[in-house]
Amino acid sequence: MVYIVMEKNEIRKKVSSLVCAMDDSEKRLSSKKVCEKILSLGEYISADFVLSYMPMKNEIDVTAVSMSALSDGKKLFLPRTENSGNGMDFYFIDAGKSLDSQIKTGRWNIMEPESFCEKLDFEILYGKKIFMLVPGVAFSESGRRLGHGMGFYDIYVSRIKKIAARKKTSLFLVGAAFPCQIDRSVDQVSKDHDLSVDFLVC
């Protein structure tokens, strides 16, 4: 187990340095291309709910997808983490208000929904199609994901998968990554509890 943790940290360190070496124009262009690909996916087009995220500096910026979800009449939800521990939930973003008026700087300086935003109620998921965007530090070509090591997405996706199975809900997970974040070593260090995505866009 200690060996696996060390291996994961080495991959995080290597991939993070590659992303940091990208200039801002490269990141913007890659993010634009990734968003265009995401918006063309049939699973996005048919989705009722979109669970997106507000990017950290070295993550694909999917804000264009979030804004499109609002204009396309889909229900948009963004994540907010608890002030301590590894708890995370998703909160409703109202299309009738500006995005900026509904988010604030939160933990680790990541933008997150304001306290007045409503938490996603799993009871409304029955029969719905959910399209979820998943950030990560690194991914394998097979869709295995390596996060920052806190387990936020591993835990949340495990929860929502169980709910989706009970409520006949379709859940489609999409990883968003820069090309340099694809590393085959992720397959070798992944465990059963580690999150895998259904489709990877880079």
Side-chain angles (χ1 to χ4, degrees):
M1 178 61 77
V2 173
Y3 173 76
I4 293 296
V5 171
M6 290 175 63
E7 283 284 293
K8 286 184 174 181
N9 286 336
E10 284 301 311
I11 296 170
R12 289 185 182 104
K13 191 174 180 181
K14 178 180 71 172
V15 173
S16 294
S17 67
L18 293 173
V19 177
C20 286
M22 297 174 66
D23 61 38
D24 288 344
S25 61
E26 269 186 289
K27 291 177 184 176
R28 283 194 298 270
L29 181 58
S30 287
S31 292
K32 182 174 183 292
K33 289 180 177 178
V34 166
C35 287
E36 288 172 350
K37 291 177 183 177
I38 290 171
L39 292 171
S40 71
L41 293 174
E43 289 83 1
Y44 167 80
I45 294 168
S46 65
D48 300 300
F49 296 168
V50 172
L51 276 58
S52 187
Y53 65 87
M54 296 303 294
M56 298 174 68
K57 182 179 180 182
N58 290 324
E59 292 176 342
I60 286 286
D61 186 347
V62 295
T63 305
V65 176
S66 299
M67 298 306 294
S68 291
L70 292 174
S71 62
D72 290 341
K74 303 180 188 299
K75 290 187 181 297
L76 174 68
F77 297 83
L78 295 175
R80 186 171 77 221
T81 61
E82 296 177 1
N83 290 329
S84 61
N86 53 7
M88 179 178 74
D89 278 294
F90 279 72
Y91 294 80
F92 177 63
I93 301 299
D94 189 342
K97 302 174 183 176
S98 71
L99 176 60
D100 287 344
S101 71
Q102 299 176 79
I103 57 176
K104 64 175 182 177
T105 303
R107 199 174 174 187
W108 297 299
N109 290 319
I110 302 172
M111 301 305 292
E112 62 183 23
E114 286 275 12
S115 57
F116 58 76
C117 294
E118 289 184 40
K119 184 165 73 172
L120 173 59
D121 181 358
F122 290 151
E123 293 303 314
I124 67 173
L125 297 183
Y126 187 85
K128 300 297 185 182
K129 294 181 178 180
I130 304 172
F131 185 90
M132 185 174 185
L133 292 174
V134 181
V137 176
F139 294 87
S140 70
E141 290 182 351
S142 67
R144 286 283 193 171
R145 171 186 175 272
L146 180 64
H148 292 277
M150 293 290 288
F152 290 107
Y153 276 87
D154 295 320
I155 294 169
Y156 188 84
V157 170
S158 177
R159 281 172 58 203
I160 199 170
K161 275 186 173 182
K162 292 174 183 175
I163 299 293
R166 292 205 308 265
K167 295 188 174 293
K168 300 179 181 179
T169 299
S170 166
L171 174 64
F172 192 71
L173 304 174
V174 175
F178 297 110
C180 63
Q181 289 180 286
I182 311 305
D183 192 313
R184 67 180 62 181
S185 301
V186 176
D187 275 333
Q188 299 166 14
V189 299
S190 291
K191 295 297 183 183
D192 290 342
H193 66 268
D194 290 324
L195 172 61
S196 291
V197 295
D198 299 306
F199 193 77
L200 181 60
V201 183
C202 61

